[in-house]
Amino acid sequence: MTVLRVENVTKRFGNFVALDKINLEVKKGEVYGFIGPNGAGKTTTIRILLGILKATEGRAEIFGLDAWNEAVKIHQNIAYVPGDVNLWPNLTGGEVIDLFVSLRGNVVKNRRDELIDRFDLDPTKKCGTYSKGNRQKVALIAAFAQNADLYILDEPTSGLDPLMERVFQECIREVKDEGKSVLLSSHILSEVEKLCDKVSIIRQGKIIESGTIKELRHLTRTNVKVVTKQPLSLTDIKGVYDIQAVEDEISFQVDNERLGEVIKYISEYEILALESKPPTLEDLFMHHYQERGDD
Amino acid sequence: MFDHLQQTGALTCFIWKRDKVRLLIWVLGISLGTIVLGAVYPGLFSTIEEQLIMAETMENPAMIAMFGPVYGNHLGAIFANQLLLFTALIVAIMSVLLVTRYTRQDEEAGRIEMIRSLPVGKLANLCSTLIILTIAHILIGLITSIGLTALRIETMDLTGSLLYGAVLSITGIFFAASTAFFAQRAETSRGTLGYSFAFLGLVYLVRAAGDNGTEILSLISPLGLLLRTKVYVNNHWWPILVTLLLSVIVAYFALMLNSIRDLEAGFIPARPGRKHASRFLQSPLGLALRLEKTTIIGWAIGMFILGASYGSIFGDVEKFFETSDLYQQMLPAIPGYSLNEQFVAMLLLITAIIAAIPVLLTILKLGAEENANRTEHLLARSVSRTKLIASYLSVAFISSILMQILGVLGLWSASAAVMEEPFKLGRLIIGALA
């Protein structure tokens, strides 16, 4: 079942094209990663989904309802955390959480206090005195304190310390286990890799890659480190890149479809040690950017 | 439509909850201030003769331009003439500041984004802002009316006092609506304030021009129109109704624009700024001057107008002093100096005190910069604390001299226009700088 669908959405600000016919689809129970550099259009997409920006062309739907026209109805069942939480400086964190919770309804009993505990927030302090991380916690607590079918999170962990990041990851896993869906935009690729089932990479307003992380890996190269008894030269072999030799250890990248051939070739030189690692999401990400970075 | 207004009630309570102190200070400050002045007035102009002379003093073009037309010469008429327009201006300023605060400023800070991600209608925040402001203005009107009636001054009856309060309420409501409209047009809160205050200034000036000649101009300007109520003299109610209708129309347009626009966007895009800092900006002194530019220009214009308004009364001042016991006590005769000369010395003192305000603002700005953690960007570079404070002090020093000179220039140019033997400019400037 599709929870969120973006179809050919274009957004122009004057002459500037912020989004160019992008497509996204999040199914029930999925944690969907949305990655891309600053200014690529992640936040614009999310704001269109929240119905606070109007798409110039295309359709954005959540629960099958139009994101702009039926925002109020949709928002009863979604929770949102922005990457830069701004709050009223003269209200306390506790007051703001209660406000957000009461404006949406759907409270889960005791959840608020439990989350305040887990995120280690002092709710009696005024928001004006909170650090960025603490303001972030306020929004996260308000988001997870309620039942929602879809969580839209826009770089939610920016400013959180590693401990709190872990609490956040637990929260995501919990809602996932309950069958809820999550759209997670993030810069922290290891986090996306840990949490997400599917990923879309956006760049300059265009989705350049979508799929499961496994699928994306197939499109790229594997990192290999090898030590051989006989001296080995790989410079003329097809599909091998980025060769570096440190003492007798050679490391290189190889196109996945040529991995077998290359290993066969190396084995003739008597392998002493061999280590092969699938590309990390970071490798994937850099791969996409460096390859097209010059256009 | 109903969808757009979801949670308006909750947000109205929320504005009240987070800003009740500020709202109460505005409401009580304006209404109680008016009542206290109302209580003082009978003492200021106790005899009929004094009242007649005051009315006559107010009846010159400069005073009419500032305070509006004079409709009568009894105490109530003088009170309404001298205070109604200025109180209405304060109420309008309150509307501009508060509406900007609850709409554009919250939007700019990203707080509306949080609210709008909840099941809250697109128009709920703007509506709740207008509701809060309307309630506040009705309260101002009611308290003022009741208070003024309770003073039991013969020429300030119940109908007049009710109308007086109603003028204040409706002025506030109209400028709340117009600011709500500008908040949709502009992209930033500074822009909203800029457009709204420029509009207020325009409305005031069009009225000033109209009151001194072309009546139709005054009818176009809501402030001029509202003065046509002729409070305590004829008590016309129709300007209230017209302005109310106008407010509803403007508010409707504001709401309509709000419902179709993107969050954090405006209909008048902000101009792109400079790509590089000018040579001038690249020093602590340049930065201080740049940050204070608008404040200094604004105050400079203000000081000139203030000086001019003082200067404009010199034509009638001598005559007035001779008959007013109060002023004669304030300015005991000193041999060798005319009353005008003594009076001008007193005025220079007042302008000096007022000119100190922008100077203080500049120095306080440094404190504000420090609180916002912006000075650390400078101090972490090769700028000493002494150099930083010296930059602000020099800006303050230059602006203090500028303010005084402009105040005096205004005073001199206006007084030269109305007096038979004008003061010498040079002497005034030396006096002001002393």
Side-chain angles (χ1 to χ4, degrees), chain A:
Chain A
M1 197 186 100
T2 303
V3 174
L4 179 159
R5 188 201 303 274
V6 174
E7 248 176 31
N8 288 322
V9 163
T10 298
K11 176 70 188 174
R12 278 189 284 270
F13 295 109
N15 291 325
F16 176 70
V17 182
L19 295 177
D20 188 7
K21 294 203 170 133
I22 69 155
N23 290 286
L24 271 184
E25 192 179 332
V26 179
K27 296 212 168 72
K28 189 172 183 312
E30 265 179 359
V31 179
Y32 201 104
F34 194 33
I35 58 182
N38 293 330
K42 297 187 300 277
T43 301
T44 307
T45 310
I46 284 176
R47 289 181 163 198
I48 287 175
L49 285 167
L50 287 173
I52 57 183
L53 296 187
K54 195 174 182 178
T56 317
E57 281 161 32
R59 275 184 72 76
E61 287 178 354
I62 293 179
F63 312 132
L65 302 170
D66 185 82
W68 173 263
N69 288 324
E70 314 221 37
V72 176
K73 212 181 257 171
I74 293 170
H75 293 185
Q76 276 156 5
N77 290 307
I78 66 169
Y80 168 62
V81 178
D84 197 2
V85 179
N86 287 289
L87 304 167
W88 297 268
N90 56 345
L91 295 182
T92 67
E95 284 177 310
V96 171
I97 294 173
D98 287 347
L99 168 79
F100 287 166
V101 166
S102 72
L103 282 177
R104 197 152 68 87
N106 253 336
V107 203
V108 185
K109 253 196 173 170
N110 306 327
R111 188 75 166 275
R112 170 192 185 270
D113 295 332
E114 180 208 318
L115 283 163
I116 287 178
D117 235 34
R118 276 167 77 182
F119 276 105
D120 193 21
L121 177 82
D122 179 356
T124 59
K125 275 196 181 168
K126 301 252 177 196
C127 292
T129 65
Y130 280 145
S131 66
K132 176 163 170 36
N134 278 327
R135 293 200 304 269
Q136 210 67 35
K137 287 181 195 172
V138 169
L140 284 168
I141 292 167
F144 288 113
Q146 290 164 298
N147 271 328
D149 292 329
L150 172 66
Y151 294 81
I152 297 183
L153 312 170
D154 190 2
E155 292 173 30
T157 52
S158 56
L160 287 191
D161 61 49
L163 229 63
M164 291 304 131
E165 238 172 77
R166 183 168 282 180
V167 175
F168 164 76
Q169 290 169 7
E170 282 166 23
C171 287
I172 294 287
R173 289 202 189 93
E174 283 165 23
V175 297
K176 194 192 166 183
D177 290 344
E178 290 165 24
K180 309 299 172 60
S181 318
V182 179
L183 177 66
L184 171 66
S185 133
S186 180
H187 270 142
I188 304 166
L189 300 171
S190 60
E191 181 179 279
V192 174
E193 201 162 14
K194 256 185 254 173
L195 296 172
C196 297
D197 308 304
K198 277 191 186 167
V199 172
S200 274
I201 302 178
I202 185 170
R203 172 164 194 273
Q204 292 185 349
K206 286 182 185 160
I207 301 272
I208 52 173
E209 211 67 75
S210 283
T212 62
I213 292 183
K214 211 170 160 190
E215 282 166 3
L216 293 185
R217 278 188 180 137
H218 277 295
L219 299 170
T220 54
R221 301 162 186 164
T222 301
N223 298 311
V224 180
K225 279 183 190 171
V226 65
V227 183
T228 51
K229 205 166 187 182
Q230 296 167 33
L232 168 73
S233 167
L234 289 166
T235 31
D236 298 330
I237 311 293
K238 246 185 157 179
V240 175
Y241 308 87
D242 207 12
I243 305 161
Q244 282 169 356
V246 180
E247 293 173 12
D248 53 353
E249 187 187 77
I250 299 175
S251 60
F252 58 90
Q253 291 186 338
V254 56
D255 282 338
N256 281 336
E257 66 261 31
R258 299 197 172 271
L259 186 60
E261 277 171 51
V262 173
I263 297 294
K264 210 166 160 190
Y265 173 79
I266 297 171
S267 61
E268 288 166 20
Y269 293 83
E270 294 181 57
I271 298 172
L272 293 177
L274 176 74
E275 189 186 314
S276 104
K277 259 199 296 192
T280 60
L281 192 56
E282 189 169 333
D283 294 327
L284 291 177
F285 192 74
M286 297 313 273
H287 173 76
H288 281 291
Y289 284 99
Q290 278 162 359
E291 206 163 76
R292 306 171 206 214
D294 302 324
D295 57 25

Side-chain angles (χ1 to χ4, degrees), chain B residues 121-183:
Chain B
K122 287 183 186 18
L123 298 178
N125 187 62
L126 187 58
C127 269
S128 55
T129 302
L130 290 174
I131 290 171
I132 277 280
L133 264 291
T134 306
I135 294 172
H137 289 311
I138 289 175
L139 275 178
I140 289 179
L142 272 182
I143 300 175
T144 310
S145 308
I146 294 169
L148 290 180
T149 314
L151 292 174
R152 299 197 172 280
I153 295 165
E154 201 183 329
T155 48
M156 291 161 72
D157 55 354
L158 175 65
T159 325
S161 297
L162 276 177
L163 186 58
Y164 191 102
V167 169
L168 294 185
S169 301
I170 201 69
T171 308
I173 290 169
F174 175 76
F175 281 96
S178 69
T179 309
F181 175 77
F182 287 119

